[in-house]
Amino acid sequence: MSAPVFLKGNEALLRSAILAGCRAFFGYPITPASEITEAAAYWMPLVGGVFLQAESEVAAINMVYGAAATGTRVMTASSGPGISLMQEGFSYLAGAELPCVIADITRGGPGLGNISPEQSDYFQVVKGGGHGCYRNLVLAPASVQEMADLTVLAFELADRYRNPVVVMADGCIGQMMEPVVLPKAVSEREPPSWAVMATAATRRNLITSIHLLNDDLERHNRALEAKYRRAQIEARWENWRTEDADFILMGYGIVGRVLKAVTERLRKKGVKAGLLRPITLFPFPTEEIRRLRDQVKGFLVVEMSTGQMVEDVRLAVEGVRPVEFYSRLGGNVPTAEEITDYALSMAPQSARQEERLWMAMF
Amino acid sequence: MDGYVLAQARSQCFYPRFERKPESPESTHYCPGCGHGILHKLIARVLDEFGVQDRTVFVSPVGCSVFAYYYFDLGHVQAAHGRASAVATAIKRTRPDSVVLCYQGDGDLAAIGTAEILHAANRGEPFTVFFVNNAIYGMTGGQAAPTTPLAAVSTTTPYGRSALNDGYPLKMAELLASLEAPVYVERVALGNGKQITAAWRAIRTAIDVQRRGLGFSFIEVLSPCPTVWKLTPVEAQKRVRDELTKVFPLGVKCDRRRQTVPRSQPPAALPADQVEVLLRGAEAEGEWPHPLACQPVDVRLKIAGFGGQGIQLLGEVIAQAGMYAGLHVSWLPSYGPEMRSGTSNASVRLSTNEVDSPVVSRPTHLIALNEPSLRKFLASVEPGGMVFYNNESFPTDCVRSDLELVAVPFTQQADRLGDPRVANMVALGAWLERVPCLPDGALELALKAHVKSESLIALNREAIQQGRLLCAQRRYRT
């Protein structure tokens, strides 16, 4: 194993992308994702890749579309407001089945919001903010090492499923520094057979998302649907002290890290807590939640949003167990202390029981 | 066929039968008298002549020509409405040997895609754009285009286009020719045989500009749309000649072929093994980790002060030194608006065990480089923790009896060393004196990673040393 280097999450993500064979980057600066674009501007020319600062996120995502169409491993990076602008491109990329990687280093919204970390992009990224029945595959790193590892995985999944893959990390994970072992460089891959590469062999290839006849478009959508079903096997998560847990904490990204500390604190207070941290948000670890559901008394979901992932948890739990929710907003990262206090306040006789029952009915 | 000389055969760039078309594969979907069919033929003829069929990529827009792939036997990428120039940019850049033809209508290029075409032209992207201007939205049934002439009636200008309400017809050829990068910009028309021949010449020039690697070329084509104009094909051509050319004058708008040198080929891709050396490379020089002599470590450090006091650098150096010392570490900046002004703080974790949360909400140690930071974070320090404050003493109303309080004037000492910027290193020295968890070798490696010049490293070392001494001399309160 090679020695770790001490890197920012954003820098680790971009370097890993290049090591994974990414040779084109089109982006528009935005805090807290700009280091990715800056790193691409620095590294791409050195490896013979393409870097272009686009005139907008709209242009950037459509450049990603163009490069993906030629069979090039390509990515862009942005944050909430820019990701909103890119939704058109997401839809076309998914419709034309083009592989690419998008990094979303999330910040606070709505509107201009602020540049501090929130997790409020879950709906637009995981559920699909563009038009049509498509899904993004979504990976949620919780450390600088995962920024590296999941970026490599993102390129693999993008190719395997011919679909956009989003690496969605909150501003904390993008901005923090940790030791990271960067991945090995992938050797040159075979260009995909469907790509339009300006060669005789690929001249008859066509990249489009238009299917004029109703039956054609229905067939296309059924094929996409089947693909997303196939992709369910890619669900990944981290279990931490769940074996004997009575009580499951759930959170992704930076919250997943904080919840480890919460688990420890609760255990010290005699509460058998465990952590289930989704690593993929689509596909969602629904099966794992169902498995744990039968073992535990309840769930506590913590997000830096007013409750986005919690909807998927409730769908998975199917009302069989209470699913509690705790959140901080505006760039405030919930502390281990406040979450622990909240969790301890959830004793059955607490005054909030009525509200909990109401919530469980969702 | 004996006795005949074939003057014009169907271009080999067209499919013999239009199999991709759902119905009637013998004919196109274009209306009789439509300009697209003529323009398709002219383009195909030039591609035949240059022999570039295999390496041509056709980028089609949203509009009637979205189905250009039914007809052209070329590589095809269909773009979102208005984004053809952005898509073409990336195709050309990732396949520099390709011939990229970007085919856009007036709504696509001059309305929704104005930003994309303007910037592609301004970057001088070396592809060719065909801008089909028929002054109306054809496919969607006759709404106004940015190029609709004044007073012209459309379904969205039922009383005629008004300059006050709708602005003026946008002259894209002139607009783009005003930029410095485009090599060739011309406006042509399909109003009669003569104009069509001139159009063919312009197309030939434009694709030649690309073939020779000169740069951006742009042909605006005034094109008839008899169906939506509600005219016969003959009347429609007459309208192109008599009316449209008055609003949009024909001619070469810019020609920089002579003063342009062909672009050099982009550098070749670096082999994977060299990429690996480059990217995973020389970050960590020297021998490490430095095994720790001290007890198990679980430091949750908060460093805070004004922006510009080197708060974040101090955090990075401590965390990186921790890594070289074989500890689990993390550094998390407050990267918010503080970055620009006001206060700044960093969370650093150093631990013998894996770091759970990098967010330090209950620090075991606080280094406060100014009073507002001390006031902000003092209450959060874990009982039994330590506070290092940048002054001779603590404010009397800002103390806690359950903490070890160390007051050392870091900035004053840094001033004495001749550089107030090393106050952070004086603080580091003071902290290390009380929390000896980082061996010198690890610290040295971390300093070298952040400070490039040897003289500055020496100054930093000195500052750390002074910080240690000052802290050792001081009586601290508990």
Side-chain angles (χ1 to χ4, degrees):
Chain A
M1 193 180 83
S2 80
V5 283
F6 190 59
L7 289 181
K8 255 193 180 191
N10 283 344
E11 172 88 20
L13 183 149
L14 189 278
R15 286 205 210 179
S16 302
I18 292 178
L19 288 162
C22 176
R23 286 297 176 275
F25 185 101
F26 303 93
Y28 188 87
I30 183 170
T31 309
S34 294
E35 292 88 355
I36 302 176
T37 303
E38 289 165 354
Y42 178 82
W43 290 109
M44 278 299 180
L46 300 180
V47 300
V50 173
F51 169 80
L52 178 59
Q53 181 171 325
E55 58 270 27
S56 68
E57 287 89 347
V58 177
I61 195 73
N62 281 284
M63 289 170 185
V64 167
Y65 180 98
T70 69
T72 308
R73 277 196 163 171
V74 56
M75 74 168 296
T76 185
S78 191
S79 185
I83 298 291
S84 297
L85 278 171
M86 289 183 184
Q87 291 309 317
E88 169 193 87
F90 277 64
S91 172
Y92 278 77
L93 284 155
E97 295 195 87
L98 290 175
C100 65
V101 172
I102 299 122
D104 179 7
I105 311 301
T106 61
R107 55 185 256 177
L112 214 42
N114 67 20
I115 60 176
S116 302
E118 258 191 12
Q119 296 181 317
S120 47
D121 281 5
Y122 186 94
F123 281 161
Q124 78 164 346
V125 169
V126 178
K127 301 296 177 180
H131 57 284
C133 294
Y134 76 93
R135 304 304 296 256
N136 304 307
L137 276 67
V138 186
L139 310 177
S143 65
V144 176
Q145 187 63 55
E146 281 193 350
M147 285 291 254
D149 298 343
L150 295 185
T151 298
V152 177
L153 176 65
F155 280 99
E156 285 168 10
L157 293 177
D159 271 357
R160 194 177 306 157
Y161 293 97
R162 284 189 63 179
N163 204 73
V165 179
V166 183
V167 178
M168 186 165 80
D170 49 82
C172 284
I173 303 294
Q175 294 293 323
M176 68 189 280
M177 290 178 92
E178 282 184 314
V180 52
V181 178
L182 290 172
K184 287 194 168 307
V186 299
S187 42
E188 202 126 313
R189 75 184 171 135
E190 278 290 301
S193 60
W194 48 260
V196 175
M197 294 171 60
T199 57
T202 64
R203 199 181 77 208
R204 297 265 160 112
N205 286 348
L206 165 67
I207 302 297
T208 186
S209 59
I210 195 168
H211 300 271
L212 198 59
L213 302 182
N214 300 0
D215 288 344
D216 284 353
L217 183 56
E218 184 170 42
R219 208 175 302 121
H220 177 59
N221 269 307
R222 290 288 179 218
L224 290 179
E225 187 186 27
K227 178 168 88 174
Y228 300 135
R229 211 178 301 118
R230 275 202 311 283
Q232 292 300 320
I233 57 162
E234 305 297 346
R236 286 164 169 78
W237 62 87
E238 180 190 7
N239 278 322
W240 204 68
R241 309 200 67 171
T242 55
E243 317 78 49
D244 63 338
D246 290 336
F247 183 67
I248 295 293
L249 300 164
M250 280 191 72
Y252 64 97
I254 188 73
V255 174
R257 298 282 292 265
V258 177
L259 290 180
K260 275 197 181 171
V262 175
T263 308
E264 285 303 299
R265 280 166 184 266
L266 287 173
R267 291 249 169 193
K268 276 186 194 143
K269 303 251 182 195
V271 179
K272 282 206 260 173
L275 166 66
L276 173 59
R277 176 175 69 87
I279 295 172
T280 56
L281 298 175
F282 182 85
F284 196 66
T286 304
E287 289 309 313
E288 180 60 10
I289 294 171
R290 295 222 169 111
R291 190 184 70 78
L292 288 168
R293 176 183 75 184
D294 302 329
Q295 167 194 327
V296 303
K297 298 189 178 114
F299 293 79
L300 171 60
V301 178
V302 182
E303 288 180 74
M304 298 193 300
S305 80
T306 48
Q308 300 195 1
M309 181 183 79
V310 68
E311 293 193 358
D312 284 334
V313 179
R314 291 200 173 112
L315 280 171
V317 171
E318 293 172 312
V320 174
R321 294 283 182 277
V323 177
E324 285 283 347
F325 180 67
Y326 185 79
S327 71
R328 289 301 303 271
L329 302 166
N332 290 311
V333 180
T335 65
E337 297 75 28
E338 66 181 293
I339 300 170
T340 307
D341 288 348
Y342 182 83
L344 291 172
S345 78
M346 283 165 36
Q349 59 272 53
S350 94
R352 296 187 60 263
Q353 185 158 18
E354 241 175 276
E355 186 190 339
R356 282 210 315 283
L357 285 172
W358 176 76
M359 285 167 86
M361 281 167 67
F362 264 118
Chain B
M1 294 286 281
D2 280 354
Y4 288 90
V5 177
L6 201 58
Q8 270 224 45
R10 170 182 271 203
S11 162
Q12 61 182 17
C13 289
F14 287 128
Y15 288 112
R17 269 170 65 86
F18 306 137
E19 306 282 358
R20 282 174 167 170
K21 194 161 167 269
E23 291 161 337
S24 38
E26 306 295 344
S27 61
T28 74
H29 72 291
Y30 297 124
C31 309
C34 171
H36 281 307
I38 302 169
L39 185 56
H40 282 18
K41 273 191 179 175
L42 297 178
I43 292 169
R45 212 171 127 186
V46 172
L47 296 178
D48 281 347
E49 183 189 342
F50 289 145
V52 292
Q53 180 182 17
D54 285 344
R55 60 189 180 103
T56 298
V57 179
F58 193 100
V59 184
S60 55
V62 169
C64 292
S65 51
V66 64
F67 297 119
Y69 63 82
Y70 288 169
Y71 317 119
F72 282 110
D73 183 0
L74 302 170
H76 280 275
V77 179
Q78 198 275 312
H81 197 26
R83 319 297 173 218
S85 318
V87 172
T89 293
I91 295 171
K92 187 72 183 181
R93 288 197 180 213
T94 53
R95 300 287 161 202
D97 292 332
S98 59
V99 171
V100 177
L101 307 180
C102 192
Y103 193 104
Q104 300 185 255
D106 41 39
D108 197 84
L109 182 135
I112 194 166
T114 322
E116 285 78 6
I117 187 63
L118 190 74
H119 285 274
N122 192 49
R123 291 188 300 260
E125 298 292 344
F127 57 76
T128 305
V129 179
F130 298 106
F131 169 40
V132 185
N133 179 3
N134 56 19
I136 199 82
Y137 284 7
M139 195 187 217
T140 48
Q143 299 82 12
T147 52
T148 297
L150 289 177
V153 171
S154 74
T155 60
T156 51
T157 54
Y159 312 108
R161 179 175 186 157
S162 133
L164 280 178
N165 195 59
D166 314 308
Y168 292 87
L170 201 49
K171 296 183 174 111
M172 289 308 295
E174 285 81 355
L175 183 68
L176 298 184
S178 73
L179 303 171
E180 288 167 67
V183 174
Y184 192 81
V185 177
E186 183 175 350
R187 182 183 289 119
V188 298
L190 305 177
N192 58 24
K194 197 177 159 196
Q195 287 185 341
I196 290 169
T197 308
W200 164 70
R201 271 194 218 100
I203 291 163
R204 195 176 178 281
T205 305
I207 295 178
D208 191 46
V209 163
Q210 178 173 186
R211 203 172 59 109
R212 289 163 54 199
L214 295 182
F216 181 79
S217 52
F218 182 89
I219 305 297
E220 177 170 341
V221 183
L222 303 180
S223 177
C225 181
T227 302
V228 179
W229 291 355
K230 299 189 175 62
L231 299 174
T232 66
V234 174
E235 289 165 348
Q237 275 199 315
K238 185 169 166 12
R239 185 182 179 220
V240 168
R241 288 196 307 273
D242 298 349
E243 208 178 307
L244 290 192
T245 54
K246 300 266 186 326
V247 184
F248 302 104
L250 303 185
V252 177
K253 307 295 171 182
C254 91
D255 183 357
R256 299 193 178 95
R257 283 177 292 167
R258 282 172 182 234
Q259 58 266 45
T260 308
V261 288
R263 296 169 163 238
S264 51
Q265 280 290 308
L270 204 65
D273 54 334
Q274 289 180 38
V275 170
E276 196 166 295
V277 171
L278 191 68
L279 276 99
R280 302 171 88 194
E283 302 274 335
E285 285 164 7
E287 293 284 311
W288 66 283
H290 295 263
L292 289 171
C294 61
Q295 305 297 314
V297 175
D298 185 17
V299 169
R300 299 196 300 276
L301 172 64
K302 179 72 87 177
I303 309 169
F306 290 124
Q309 280 186 314
I311 306 297
Q312 304 304 344
L313 176 70
L314 175 57
E316 280 184 50
V317 168
I318 292 174
Q320 190 157 0
M323 178 182 87
Y324 292 139
L327 292 168
H328 294 275
V329 303
S330 70
W331 167 88
L332 177 70
S334 64
Y335 66 88
E338 295 99 332
M339 211 169 133
R340 271 61 175 195
S341 63
T343 60
S344 168
N345 75 79
S347 294
V348 176
R349 296 269 329 247
L350 303 172
S351 178
T352 318
N353 302 314
E354 206 175 311
V355 172
D356 45 25
S357 170
V359 182
V360 172
S361 46
R362 297 284 284 170
T364 54
H365 301 82
L366 168 66
I367 300 178
L369 272 82
N370 64 13
E371 193 180 319
S373 300
L374 178 70
R375 291 188 182 277
K376 184 172 175 186
F377 292 109
L378 184 69
S380 68
V381 180
E382 198 78 67
M386 294 185 208
V387 182
F388 298 79
Y389 177 48
N390 183 13
N391 212 328
E392 289 288 349
S393 61
F394 281 72
T396 49
D397 64 333
C398 195
V399 287
R400 270 175 59 185
S401 57
D402 57 343
L403 304 175
E404 182 178 320
L405 303 178
V406 183
V408 173
F410 310 130
T411 308
Q412 202 181 314
Q413 187 59 32
D415 283 338
R416 272 194 214 114
L417 288 167
D419 191 340
R421 287 178 303 173
V422 295
N424 58 352
M425 293 298 141
V426 179
L428 173 57
W431 180 71
L432 282 172
E433 181 63 20
R434 296 293 304 124
V435 191
C437 65
L438 300 175
D440 289 347
L443 197 62
E444 186 72 16
L445 276 178
L447 269 183
K448 280 185 180 155
H450 288 275
V451 186
K452 295 302 166 200
S453 104
E454 198 48 53
S455 63
L456 271 178
I457 293 180
L459 178 65
N460 278 305
R461 263 191 226 118
E462 178 60 20
I464 293 170
Q465 191 52 32
Q466 290 295 324
R468 282 185 195 271
L469 285 173
L470 277 174
C471 182
Q473 288 160 8
R474 236 145 248 268
R475 304 277 309 188
Y476 44 85
R477 288 194 311 205
T478 44

